[in-house]
Amino acid sequence: ICRAPAYCQAVLEAAGCAFNTGVGVWVCDNKDLTGVNLSGCELPGASFVTTNLTNAIFTSVNLTDANFFES
């Protein structure tokens, strides 16, 4: 599975996530991504701290160095 970057961007922006151009990662902290389908998206370094990911689908997603917990 490989999604077009435009699809992934549209889904994340619709959920209120922001792309941090300074470090090149998506920031989705404190967002509601319930049921979102991010299969095949490239999200290395993304931040999902205190994000609701109930029933979210992450099949074949690049989550290298992604952050799900407060440091």
Side-chain angles (χ1 to χ4, degrees):
I1 297 174
C2 184
R3 297 259 188 192
Y7 167 85
C8 302
Q9 178 179 348
V11 169
L12 292 169
E13 287 178 347
C17 300
F19 189 75
N20 183 332
T21 56
V23 290
V25 299
W26 281 99
V27 180
C28 297
D29 298 342
N30 304 305
K31 303 298 180 204
D32 184 1
L33 296 178
T34 300
V36 71
N37 185 350
L38 293 171
S39 296
C41 292
E42 291 290 322
L43 302 173
S47 184
F48 298 99
V49 175
T50 63
T51 298
N52 184 349
L53 296 168
T54 303
N55 296 321
I57 303 169
F58 286 98
T59 304
S60 299
V61 175
N62 178 357
L63 292 168
T64 304
D65 296 323
N67 183 22
F68 293 90
F69 306 100
E70 291 187 65
S71 27

